[in-house]
Amino acid sequence: FGSLLVGHLLYQGFEVFAIDRLIHQGESLLGFLSHPKFRFENVDLRQGFLSDDEEADFVVHLAALVGPVCDVDAGESWRTNHEVVGRVKDWVKSRKTTRMIFSSTCSNYGITEGMATESTPLTPTSVYAETKVAAEDVIAYLGDRGIVLRFGTLAGLSPRPRFDTLLNQWAYEGWSAGTIECQQPEAWRPFIHVTDAVEAVIGLITDWPNNAPPCYNVVGFNTTKIDLAKE
């Protein structure tokens, strides 16, 4: 997601300053290093954020531990997914005009009856979702200078494709092993192509709404897992 977003922003003429601690290495960013409008620093957000003399029009916060890995080390998940967000929020708030786009998840709704809207109560059922709900509360302190995007499950190719999201995982398992495993087949899930997720972020950067709502659901389609498995 992040490396694909960088490429799209550079293509549209934006200056991009990317920061990452590179736990997944940095091959997906190598192609941008010679671009005159791209800058990169290896930063561990658990240790600090940008210095006071830095400036930015927008901060797009994507850093997080995701999914079942959060259950393995809940303490580290809270540090990465919640405490770090508070540090970034404080920096953004001190800039006076900087705006922040925060990547969250539709998992925050938990198990609901019918279609979930942005006003549906949040009932997280995992450590991951709990940390994201808490982080959304932090972003709320920015008022109209902070917007939360609750993404459906990402799918599709990117410079560093993820194969731990459901549709990508099934595509890989179907190709490599010839079979896929569908648990809770009647459960409904929201999905979005990674390119559409990128366009949602860029849409806010290029046309920040007046009197913006605090959050948006960002979803391409909803389907039951069994129907998706059959496809």
Side-chain angles (χ1 to χ4, degrees), residues 1-4 28 156-162 168 194:
F1 186 6
S3 53
L4 192 66
S28 62
L157 291 176
S158 64
R160 189 187 70 80
R162 285 181 53 191
N168 283 9
V194 64

Side-chain angles (χ1 to χ4, degrees), residues 131 152 225:
T131 63
K225 293 170 69 176

Side-chain angles (χ1 to χ4, degrees), residues 7 30 43 74 109 111 153 181 186 190-192 199 201 218-219:
L30 285 176
V43 174
Y109 295 113
I111 300 173
T153 300
E181 182 179 357
E186 301 304 324
F191 294 87
I192 183 169
E199 290 302 320
V201 172
V218 186
V219 176

Side-chain angles (χ1 to χ4, degrees), residues 210-221:
N210 293 323
N211 301 313
C215 69
Y216 294 93
N217 291 335
V218 186
V219 176
F221 65 95

Side-chain angles (χ1 to χ4, degrees), residues 175-197:
W175 171 80
S176 62
T179 61
I180 62 175
E181 182 179 357
C182 181
Q183 300 179 358
Q184 298 178 315
E186 301 304 324
W188 282 82
R189 290 282 294 274
F191 294 87
I192 183 169
H193 195 281
V194 64
T195 301
D196 293 330

Side-chain angles (χ1 to χ4, degrees), residues 122 124 200:
L122 302 181

Side-chain angles (χ1 to χ4, degrees), residues 81-120:
N81 294 0
H82 177 245
E83 292 179 17
V84 160
V85 176
R87 184 176 300 115
V88 177
K89 179 269 298 180
D90 289 343
W91 186 92
V92 170
K93 196 171 183 66
S94 70
R95 299 297 92 183
K96 306 302 182 185
T97 60
T98 300
R99 293 162 174 170
M100 183 171 177
I101 299 169
F102 179 70
S103 174
S104 193
T105 172
C106 286
S107 296
N108 292 352
Y109 295 113
I111 300 173
T112 64
E113 293 292 333
M115 185 75 70
T117 71
E118 289 84 353
S119 60
T120 298

